[in-house]
Amino acid sequence: MGQPLSPLYRWYIYAIHGYFSEVMFTATWAFVVDRDWKFQGVSSIWAFFIYGTCCFALEGLFRLLRSRCGLFARSILYTVCIYLWEFSTGYFLRLFDACPWDYSAFKYNFMGLVTLEYCPFWFLGSLILERFLIRHTLRLRLEEWPTSKERSISRFELKDK
């Protein structure tokens, strides 16, 4: 059995997942709200770092809390952490006029950086994050696969439960 993925590999997987999910969400949102059949999702390069770091931190919470409290309680905590992270990173980026989102048009926004209207989406996203992405990413293994005596190539495999 190979070695678990390094923190950098896991961060990268979380970053790609978050970035892709945001593009898919914004395309779907534009379709539902504006009937935009182009399905053009949008994001920012900042989202890659924001999602990667937030999901990596939530992985740490999962490891700490998985045997101490239930999924529902963890998802509530994850949602609170997501809001705090979104507000903090948005506030920091806004200092440099670089914040790619603005929720000012939403009724329950705070400083245009977070909005309660997205709470169900963040909650559902945190459930998906734990049940599928974090659990399976932690099971991934990187194994050296010998092809000759001089060199080897890496391959991924899932660890059995």
Side-chain angles (χ1 to χ4, degrees), residues 7-77:
L8 183 59
Y9 275 131
R10 295 192 321 273
W11 179 89
Y12 184 71
I13 289 170
Y14 299 145
I16 288 174
H17 173 78
Y19 191 81
F20 176 76
S21 296
E22 179 165 299
V23 170
M24 294 298 292
F25 178 81
T26 57
T28 303
W29 186 270
F31 175 74
V32 170
V33 172
D34 302 325
R35 295 289 183 236
D36 182 356
W37 284 89
K38 294 177 187 173
F39 286 98
Q40 293 178 326
V42 295
S43 191
S44 164
I45 286 296
W46 291 115
F48 189 80
F49 301 101
I50 291 167
Y51 283 115
T53 305
C54 185
C55 292
F56 190 74
L58 294 180
E59 175 197 293
L61 275 176
F62 166 71
R63 289 173 174 233
L64 181 68
L65 299 175
R66 68 180 152 196
S67 62
R68 296 183 180 161
C69 61
L71 177 63
F72 186 76
R74 288 192 309 271
S75 293
I76 290 172
L77 180 60

Side-chain angles (χ1 to χ4, degrees), residues 3-158:
Q3 295 295 317
L5 296 184
S6 71
L8 183 59
Y9 275 131
R10 295 192 321 273
W11 179 89
Y12 184 71
I13 289 170
Y14 299 145
I16 288 174
H17 173 78
Y19 191 81
F20 176 76
S21 296
E22 179 165 299
V23 170
M24 294 298 292
F25 178 81
T26 57
T28 303
W29 186 270
F31 175 74
V32 170
V33 172
D34 302 325
R35 295 289 183 236
D36 182 356
W37 284 89
K38 294 177 187 173
F39 286 98
Q40 293 178 326
V42 295
S43 191
S44 164
I45 286 296
W46 291 115
F48 189 80
F49 301 101
I50 291 167
Y51 283 115
T53 305
C54 185
C55 292
F56 190 74
L58 294 180
E59 175 197 293
L61 275 176
F62 166 71
R63 289 173 174 233
L64 181 68
L65 299 175
R66 68 180 152 196
S67 62
R68 296 183 180 161
C69 61
L71 177 63
F72 186 76
R74 288 192 309 271
S75 293
I76 290 172
L77 180 60
Y78 298 154
T79 303
V80 170
C81 290
I82 289 167
Y83 269 103
L84 290 172
W85 185 246
E86 183 179 31
F87 179 80
S88 300
T89 55
Y91 188 82
F92 177 76
L93 290 171
R94 189 180 277 177
L95 294 175
F96 302 97
D97 195 29
C99 184
W101 64 89
D102 183 2
Y103 299 128
S104 297
F106 288 86
K107 183 175 181 179
Y108 300 107
N109 81 85
F110 180 67
M111 295 176 61
L113 297 172
V114 292
T115 182
L116 287 179
E117 282 92 339
Y118 278 11
C119 191
F121 302 112
W122 287 129
F123 182 81
L124 179 62
S126 73
L127 283 170
I128 292 168
L129 177 71
E130 178 184 312
R131 299 302 289 178
F132 298 104
L133 189 62
I134 291 174
R135 286 178 186 256
H136 292 299
T137 300
L138 290 174
R139 289 180 53 216
L140 282 173
R141 297 292 182 258
L142 189 58
E143 183 174 291
E144 294 296 319
W145 195 15
T147 58
S148 70
K149 292 190 184 231
E150 295 88 35
R151 57 179 213 163
S152 63
I153 59 173
S154 297
R155 69 180 176 128
F156 288 101
E157 67 180 30
L158 285 175

